[in-house]
């Protein structure tokens, strides 16, 4: 077998391994977080490998649409959620 063909097969194999690994269900926690910020309310669902990671991601996602600019986004993400619900 020629060297380029062997390298191509090795590359394709590595890509397949990466795809299988990344598609494995590593998300163990899923939460819906509802945030109220400056009179606006939004909810978002996110998953993470830890409870804290899932809640933080859901909080940031919920804040993205109800805050304007980086300063408000940071303020919003520091606001305690009005609800946190574990999803199945």
């Amino acid at each position: 077998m020629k060297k380029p063909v062997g390298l191509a097969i090795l590359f394709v194999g590595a890509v397949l391994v990466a795809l299988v690994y990344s598609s494995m269900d590593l998300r163990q926690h899923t939460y819906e977080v509802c945030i109220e910020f400056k009179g606006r309310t939004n909810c978002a669902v996110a998953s993470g490998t830890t409870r804290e990671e899932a809640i933080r991601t859901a909080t940031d996602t919920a804040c993205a649409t109800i805050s304007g600019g980086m300063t408000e986004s940071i303020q919003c993400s520091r606001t305690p959620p009005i609800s946190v619900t574990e999803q199945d």
Side-chain angles (χ1 to χ4, degrees):
M1 184 180 328
K2 295 185 179 182
K3 189 173 182 177
V5 173
L7 289 175
I9 291 172
L10 185 62
F11 176 76
V12 169
V15 169
L16 288 175
V17 168
L19 285 173
V20 168
Y21 180 75
S22 67
S23 67
M24 293 172 60
D25 191 18
L26 300 175
R27 298 169 300 215
Q28 299 171 359
H29 305 277
T30 302
Y31 285 87
E32 178 184 54
V33 174
C34 294
I35 298 284
E36 184 176 346
F37 181 71
K38 292 191 173 184
R40 296 169 290 206
T41 303
N42 191 34
C43 299
V45 176
S47 299
T49 55
T50 65
R51 177 183 190 275
E52 293 76 20
E53 178 185 7
I55 291 172
R56 167 54 73 208
T57 303
T59 299
D60 291 345
T61 303
C63 285
T65 58
I66 59 174
S67 60
M70 189 57 131
T71 302
E72 280 194 5
S73 179
I74 293 168
Q75 291 171 343
C76 180
S77 68
R78 292 181 179 165
T79 302
I82 56 175
S83 70
V84 175
T85 308
E86 187 171 13
Q87 303 292 298
D88 293 330

